[in-house]
Amino acid sequence: MANEEDDPIIQEIDVFLARSLLEKLYLFQVELEMAIDTLNPNYCRSKGEQIALNVDGTCTDETSTYSSKLMDKQTFCSSQAANNVSRYAAAVYKKGELHLTPLHGILQLRPSFTYLDKADAKHREREAANEGGDSSQDEAEDDVKQITVRFSRPETEQARQRRVQSYEFLQKRQAEEHWVHLHYYGLKDSRSEHERQYLFSQGHGLAENTELIKSPSEYLMMLMPPSIEEENDKPVAPSNVLSMAQLRTLPLADQIKILMKNVKVMPFANLMSLLGSGTDSTAVLRCIQQVAMLVQGNWVVKSDVLYPKDTSSPHSGVPAEVLCRGRDFVMWKFTQDRWVVRKEVAAVTKLCPEDVKDFLEHMSVARINKGWEFMLPYDEDFVKKHPDIVQRQHMLWMGIQAKLEKVYNLLKEHLTPKKQEAQSAHPLLVSGEQRVNMAKAKVKQNYGQLEKEFQKQKAEMKSNDTSAKMDVSNIRIKEEPVSDEEPMDTSAYEGMNNGIVNGLHAEDSADSLNGHLPGGCIDRVAQELKAFVSSTFKKQFVLTLSELKRLFNLHLASLPPGHTLFSGISDKMLQDMVLDTGCKQILVPFPPQTAASPDELKVYALWEAGDTYDQHRQVLLEIFSKNYRVRRNVIQNQLSQECGEDLNKQEVDRVLKDCCVSYGGMWYLKGTVQS
């Protein structure tokens, strides 16, 4: 109701459909109005005579373009303005009624300059006659000319279509078209007035205008009918996309080939789960060996399945045979090593970087500063259950290796596997927990030596009361965190204290301090922690909480026993100190599917370092608070807009180096790249 009040109806007009000129009404669009008046003083008579002479020559007959020996007319040629004119109509408004007559065609009239072509033809004829010399007509008649007779072949339908659509054929048809003389009647002529009456509907009954008696939906459909081209442009599902129900209707060999071609790398257990219950594993093993090779206990699709014969690379255009050799080399390298270096593959195969990247992305994942790691863990289960398959695949790989040696002239370092892999069937992976346990064991080995040193220090402390009082002031008792948050895990360094609680032996700690920190100890802990945080962020600028804790543990390992920072620093204390030193937490919008830990999702950055790049870094951090990864040109444009200056490449590189890392053509904040 509110919309109707804002837009009231001012007038209602009846609309009628006129049929008298339904298939006879044309709209002519004249782009240029030209009336050649040869008696006008502005008309150049000499120029008109010259044009007529060039076109017709000196003879005057019926074929002459200008019979008056003067350019006194201009020809207009029509061309179709629109292919579909069913949506257009001519309207006449009279006495509160609107009468519509559909247009049968819309033609544009443009000046035709064929007389210039005719003048050029005359000029060429005169030049040819002059070059012919003064040879007499009798001599020309006596000349005997050889005539070659040729019989044309029957014209095919395809050739006929090409000939009909050619420019020469259309020009010939246009030239052969007969002229139709047009009788023009002026606006006020009685004949014009008579024809104009046909633009009005002859009857106002319902039978005459049934097209206008439609429901709103039918009227809208008539007004905007669906185009055939739009219907053809509707996207359809790709022909190579099948649902699992459709896939299971195919033969087993085709099912396995389609799955491997799309997934490329798959453990055998996953393949069996996709094929459905009741599938015979023996039949699957027989079929999988036709389309895939065994790499680290997992099945990788064969190269000739991805690159069939008579195909070529979309990047470099090299044939499929060369691509298959290069990809086989990458697969073979992964049978020898867990890691592959892209530059080494490119140097051996001599293929373009895009092709090499495609090979690696099929079966591995890029790791920063390490190379490309095979994307799946070693499937030891399959290797133990099917030793015969493993042996057969090993023999196949030996044959492929022999071919690769001949093609690429492989060196000794390419063929010899690493010592670690020669000793074990699969690469040895050391987890973080194992490394911590190894560090603890190493500390316990040195426990006796550290205990002797502590007893020596204790004796010196007791011999000098003054020194003892001064040392007591340096004692720290571990504080429990204020919040429910757990203290930071420094268990890897507990052995370094050698039974010391905050610098004292456990048996003396309670008696000496009575469970309380001396005055000024808390301030010293805060000062030490603040100094560490400040110096760390001035070097790194951007850190995740996980990386900061790792650096803090390394810092603790470098400190002597009994240092104030061994008092037990919780995560909350560390984060509060980061914010107190002028840093800010950057709320990076990580992708929902990220597998990062909570400590890796907390990103802190130094907001003000006191140098000339503070403003640039702040703009950069604001960008990453809205995007997880950004392209370089976006960063450069934003820096130029915000800072009001055009930065050169060196300045942008400096800011990016402080806060970001590049991976895969995109830029990320340090520590936020997820593998």
Side-chain angles (χ1 to χ4, degrees):
M1 294 298 294
N3 294 336
E4 292 180 0
E5 293 177 359
D6 294 340
D7 190 12
I9 298 175
I10 299 176
Q11 184 181 3
E12 292 186 1
I13 301 174
D14 294 331
V15 180
F16 299 93
L17 184 64
R19 291 175 170 274
S20 301
L21 301 176
L22 191 60
E23 296 183 357
K24 303 175 183 178
L25 188 61
Y26 286 84
L27 174 64
F28 291 90
Q29 298 176 346
V30 182
E31 297 184 356
L32 180 63
E33 294 183 0
M34 179 181 293
I36 301 180
D37 183 8
T38 58
L39 300 178
N40 193 296
N42 296 323
Y43 179 80
C44 183
R45 191 173 183 86
S46 61
K47 189 67 175 177
E49 292 176 351
Q50 182 64 40
I51 293 175
L53 180 62
N54 292 339
V55 174
D56 298 328
T58 56
C59 62
T60 57
D61 52 20
E62 295 180 355
T63 60
S64 300
T65 304
Y66 303 112
S67 57
S68 63
K69 300 292 186 72
L70 194 66
M71 182 180 178
D72 55 358
K73 61 183 178 181
Q74 171 68 57
T75 305
F76 285 83
C77 185
S78 63
S79 61
Q80 194 172 1
N83 295 326
N84 183 13
V85 296
S86 60
R87 300 184 181 183
Y88 300 94
V92 180
Y93 180 75
K94 182 179 180 182
K95 297 181 180 180
E97 297 177 351
L98 185 65
H99 298 260
L100 300 178
T101 303
L103 292 176
H104 189 63
I106 300 177
L107 300 176
Q108 289 182 342
L109 297 180
R110 298 178 180 177
S112 175
F113 300 97
T114 54
Y115 63 90
L116 297 178
D117 298 333
K118 192 174 181 180
D120 291 341
K122 292 281 186 181
H123 179 68
R124 286 194 293 269
E125 289 177 1
R126 286 193 293 269
E127 288 185 346
N130 293 333
E131 291 176 358
D134 298 332
S135 59
S136 64
Q137 185 177 357
D138 295 337
E139 293 176 351
E141 291 178 353
D142 294 338
D143 291 341
V144 179
K145 296 182 180 179
Q146 183 179 359
I147 300 176
T148 304
V149 180
R150 294 181 181 179
F151 297 93
S152 61
R153 296 179 180 179
E155 188 178 26
T156 62
E157 181 63 23
Q158 187 177 5
R160 191 189 71 81
Q161 290 290 342
R162 287 198 301 266
R163 181 176 60 81
V164 169
Q165 296 176 2
S166 64
Y167 177 76
E168 290 80 8
F169 182 81
L170 295 177
Q171 288 292 103
K172 183 179 179 182
R173 283 193 58 187
Q174 185 177 357
E176 292 175 351
E177 186 177 354
H178 296 288
W179 283 95
V180 177
H181 295 281
L182 177 67
H183 299 282
Y184 175 75
Y185 298 94
L187 181 64
K188 298 181 180 180
D189 191 274
S190 59
R191 181 64 184 269
S192 298
E193 183 63 29
H194 175 74
E195 294 292 336
R196 197 179 301 120
Q197 296 301 319
Y198 289 117
L199 294 175
F200 296 96
S201 176
Q202 302 301 316
H204 295 175
L206 294 178
E208 182 72 18
N209 296 281
T210 53
E211 287 82 355
L212 302 181
I213 312 298
K214 300 289 183 182
S215 64
S217 59
E218 292 175 337
Y219 178 70
L220 183 62
M221 185 62 67
M222 291 177 60
L223 191 64
M224 294 293 293
S227 175
I228 298 177
E229 296 179 358
E230 294 176 0
E231 293 178 356
N232 294 337
D233 291 341
K234 289 182 179 179
V236 295
S239 58
N240 63 335
V241 176
L242 296 175
S243 65
M244 291 304 297
Q246 293 173 318
L247 183 67
R248 289 173 182 172
T249 60
L250 301 175
L252 181 62
D254 293 339
Q255 294 183 44
I256 295 174
K257 183 176 181 180
I258 292 173
L259 287 172
M260 291 305 304
K261 190 174 181 179
N262 285 276
V263 181
K264 297 181 177 61
V265 182
M266 192 186 307
F268 185 73
N270 290 16
L271 179 61
M272 292 298 299
S273 65
L274 291 173
L275 294 174
S277 59
T279 307
D280 184 14
S281 61
T282 305
V284 175
L285 283 172
R286 192 185 311 111
C287 295
I288 189 65
Q289 295 181 71
Q290 303 298 322
V291 296
M293 296 290 292
L294 194 66
V295 178
Q296 300 190 24
N298 300 279
W299 291 100
V300 182
V301 65
K302 287 184 176 180
S303 301
D304 55 3
V305 175
L306 291 180
Y307 304 107
K309 193 177 180 180
D310 298 331
T311 61
S312 58
S313 167
H315 305 295
S316 58
V318 299
E321 183 181 358
V322 180
L323 293 177
C324 290
R325 283 202 303 262
R327 189 174 180 276
D328 286 345
F329 175 75
V330 175
M331 293 170 63
W332 172 76
K333 286 292 292 182
F334 276 119
T335 64
Q336 305 292 310
D337 196 348
R338 183 78 186 169
W339 300 84
V340 169
V341 181
R342 179 176 172 179
K343 290 183 179 179
E344 179 185 349
V345 176
V348 173
T349 61
K350 302 295 190 296
L351 292 172
C352 72
E354 289 79 8
D355 288 332
V356 175
K357 186 179 179 182
D358 284 349
F359 300 158
L360 293 170
E361 287 179 342
H362 289 169
M363 62 194 83
S364 58
V365 179
R367 307 294 187 193
I368 298 176
N369 298 328
K370 290 185 178 181
W372 291 77
E373 183 185 12
F374 193 72
M375 63 171 55
L376 295 179
Y378 187 87
D379 194 349
E380 191 172 358
D381 219 12
F382 179 83
V383 173
K384 290 180 179 179
K385 289 182 180 179
H386 305 280
D388 54 334
I389 301 293
V390 175
Q391 180 62 25
R392 189 180 301 115
Q393 289 290 313
H394 176 70
M395 298 302 296
L396 291 175
W397 278 120
M398 292 293 291
I400 293 175
Q401 177 180 334
K403 292 180 180 179
L404 295 175
E405 289 180 22
K406 294 180 180 179
V407 174
Y408 294 128
N409 297 322
L410 299 180
L411 302 176
K412 187 177 181 180
E413 55 266 23
H414 294 146
L415 301 174
T416 306
K418 292 184 179 179
K419 185 182 293 185
Q420 177 183 339
E421 295 164 348
Q423 296 174 356
S424 176
H426 59 89
L428 178 61
L429 301 178
V430 182
S431 64
E433 184 178 358
Q434 290 175 332
R435 295 190 180 191
V436 171
N437 292 335
M438 291 168 61
K440 288 182 178 180
K442 189 174 181 180
V443 170
K444 288 181 180 179
Q445 291 177 0
N446 300 328
Y447 178 80
Q449 182 180 356
L450 294 174
E451 181 67 20
K452 290 179 182 179
E453 293 180 0
F454 169 72
Q455 292 296 341
K456 183 178 179 181
Q457 292 178 2
K458 183 178 178 182
E460 293 176 356
M461 290 167 60
K462 290 182 178 179
S463 64
N464 191 340
D465 295 340
T466 306
S467 300
K469 293 179 181 179
M470 293 175 62
D471 291 340
V472 169
S473 65
N474 290 329
I475 298 174
R476 299 290 180 271
I477 294 180
K478 180 178 179 180
E479 292 182 341
E480 294 297 327
V482 178
S483 65
D484 296 332
E485 198 171 352
E486 290 294 328
M488 186 169 58
D489 181 16
T490 56
S491 58
Y493 306 97
E494 289 176 359
M496 294 183 178
N497 294 334
N498 308 301
I500 300 174
V501 179
N502 303 315
L504 285 180
H505 199 273
E507 60 188 16
D508 298 330
S509 60
D511 296 334
S512 302
L513 296 175
N514 207 18
H516 297 283
L517 278 173
C521 291
I522 298 177
D523 293 337
R524 271 195 292 274
V525 173
Q527 290 175 3
E528 290 286 342
L529 186 59
K530 185 174 183 179
F532 162 76
V533 171
S534 179
S535 62
T536 302
F537 272 93
K538 285 183 179 179
K539 296 176 183 178
Q540 303 287 347
F541 289 94
V542 176
L543 288 170
T544 61
L545 180 59
S546 175
E547 181 66 9
L548 181 62
K549 288 166 65 175
R550 187 185 71 83
L551 295 175
F552 184 69
N553 284 335
L554 292 175
H555 179 64
L556 288 178
S558 65
L559 297 177
H563 195 274
T564 56
L565 287 180
F566 283 108
S567 58
I569 306 299
S570 68
D571 289 356
K572 178 174 174 54
M573 294 171 61
L574 187 63
Q575 294 178 69
D576 291 343
M577 185 56 68
V578 170
L579 298 176
D580 290 340
T581 54
C583 299
K584 288 187 178 182
Q585 184 176 359
I586 309 302
L587 302 177
V588 180
F590 287 89
Q593 68 274 17
T594 181
S597 63
D599 288 348
E600 293 175 338
L601 297 179
K602 293 182 179 180
V603 184
Y604 296 91
L606 183 61
W607 195 253
E608 293 182 358
D611 57 11
T612 58
Y613 293 94
D614 276 347
Q615 184 183 3
H616 306 92
R617 280 191 291 267
Q618 291 171 11
V619 173
L620 180 65
L621 295 173
E622 288 290 343
I623 294 174
F624 280 100
S625 65
K626 301 175 183 177
N627 299 281
Y628 169 60
R629 54 184 180 180
V630 188
R631 293 191 180 276
R632 179 190 174 93
N633 59 346
V634 176
I635 295 175
Q636 189 157 357
N637 293 338
Q638 192 70 16
L639 285 173
S640 301
Q641 292 177 6
E642 296 292 336
C643 301
E645 56 183 349
D646 293 329
L647 302 177
N648 55 38
K649 183 178 182 298
Q650 289 76 14
E651 292 174 324
V652 176
D653 289 342
R654 166 65 187 276
V655 177
L656 291 174
K657 183 180 179 182
D658 290 344
C659 305
C660 303
V661 293
S662 176
Y663 177 65
M666 304 293 290
W667 287 88
Y668 303 78
L669 282 181
K670 289 182 178 178
T672 63
V673 180
Q674 303 299 322
S675 61

